[in-house]
Amino acid sequence: MSKLADALANLDEDEVRRLVREKIDAGVDPMAIVVECRKGMDIVGERYKSKDYFLSELIISGEMFKEAMAVVEPMLKAGMQSEPISKMVLATAKGDIHNIGKDIVGTLLTAAGFEVHDLGIDVAPGIIVEKLVETGAPILGMSGLLTPSFESMKETVEAVEAAGLRGRVKVIVGGGIVTERVGKYVGADAFTNDASEGVDICRRFAKEAK
Ligand code: B12
């Protein structure tokens, strides 16, 4: 495990700050910093599951991750394009308030030239459908980190279908515990746990929509 992942897993705030700064000064790819921090968060999750950590530790790790991302984000945005290549709607599924991963993928998509309509967390299917109609976006990205989110994502895809939009809207789902099986269960066109891969898939969807 890297020093940065280890420091985040051990909730050592000063060390995380120091290591992030050190890596940025050394010219390390900002996405590599995101990946290392995420590994640390996975360990926090495991410790929570095994009851070595509790909710307070989850909250602290989330704050530490966000602080690290505030430093890294401007660098992720550096290659930003001015002309949008496609619109897209992004949301964390109903019942779920995790937003760290969604925000990262939103930043990368914006930097890649997408006009991202981010609806935030705990978003009901009806709100998502309304936004798809209002914007005419051909892509919907949903994030979910809780098992119950799978039902919400499925309900959202069904609502998109019921509104007659499924023919023109591609759906991609992501988030720590989303697997290919989950993607199929909810009726998505694609799934990923990797924000960069997600951007590539959305680029393909945008091309297909033209
Ligand atoms: C931090 C954290 C929290 C923070 C969240 C802070 C925030 N603002 O988001 C807080 C403390 C609020 C929290 C609350 C809870 N949490 Co929590 N949390 C975590 C933790 C440790 C890290 C999540 C994270 O941010 N990871 C880092 C990000 C960068 O990774 P990511 O989300 O996977 O995103 C990446 C990719 O997946 C991808 N991606 C993400 N979304 C999308 C979307 C698209 C479209 C695309 C293309 C890509 C993409 O891009 C990102 C970068 O590559 C996880 C453990 C884990 N292993 O994930 C538990 C975890 C998700 N939580 C868990 C639980 C149980 C809870 C609570 C229910 C606890 C409680 N008793 O209240 C509540 C849920 C409340 C709710 N209704 O949502 C469980 C879920 C278990 C399950 N199977 O349901 C986990 C897995 C911990 C565990 N092992 O038990 N949590």
Side-chain angles (χ1 to χ4, degrees):
M1 199 199 340
S2 76
K3 275 192 198 165
L4 179 54
D6 199 32
L8 214 151
N10 292 328
L11 307 177
D12 186 342
E13 288 182 50
D14 292 340
E15 185 66 353
V16 170
R17 261 185 222 126
R18 194 187 67 75
L19 288 167
V20 168
R21 185 42 58 202
E22 188 180 278
K23 282 176 189 294
I24 285 175
D25 291 346
V28 171
D29 173 7
M31 210 43 216
I33 301 178
V34 174
V35 169
E36 280 188 39
C37 287
R38 185 165 173 232
K39 282 187 189 143
M41 297 298 266
D42 284 344
I43 298 160
V44 171
E46 281 160 24
R47 291 184 186 166
Y48 175 76
K49 214 165 148 189
S50 62
K51 298 197 165 38
D52 292 310
Y53 277 178
F54 298 94
L55 191 56
S56 53
E57 278 89 359
L58 280 192
I59 295 170
I60 294 165
S61 71
E63 291 307 315
M64 286 170 62
F65 194 101
K66 278 193 203 158
E67 192 186 320
M69 287 311 105
V71 180
V72 171
E73 238 184 32
M75 304 176 69
L76 292 175
K77 281 183 182 158
M80 224 160 141
Q81 279 183 220
S82 51
E83 267 303 295
I85 54 170
S86 174
K87 292 181 181 180
M88 80 171 276
V89 173
L90 186 65
T92 296
K94 174 134 193 68
D96 195 331
I97 62 162
H98 294 87
N99 65 355
I100 295 175
K102 171 186 69 61
D103 290 352
I104 291 174
V105 81
T107 300
L108 290 184
L109 285 161
T110 306
F114 285 83
E115 181 183 314
V116 179
H117 295 264
D118 186 343
L119 296 172
I121 53 171
D122 187 18
V123 187
I127 309 272
I128 292 179
V129 169
E130 265 174 35
K131 202 63 177 178
L132 286 169
V133 172
E134 181 199 315
T135 58
I139 308 169
L140 165 62
M142 273 188 289
S143 185
L145 274 91
L146 299 175
T147 311
S149 314
F150 306 156
E151 278 319 308
S152 313
M153 287 178 173
K154 190 169 189 280
E155 281 165 24
T156 306
V157 175
E158 285 164 2
V160 171
E161 194 138 18
L165 302 174
R166 195 66 181 95
R168 71 151 175 90
V169 175
K170 294 274 190 199
V171 180
I172 177 167
V173 290
I177 55 166
V178 170
T179 59
E180 187 176 5
R181 211 162 141 216
V182 172
K184 282 200 178 123
Y185 173 74
V186 307
D189 300 291
F191 95 97
T192 180
N193 295 314
D194 178 328
S196 304
E197 190 192 22
V199 172
D200 289 340
I201 295 170
C202 289
R203 274 202 192 100
R204 176 161 56 79
F205 286 166
K207 260 193 201 150
E208 286 168 10
K210 279 191 176 143

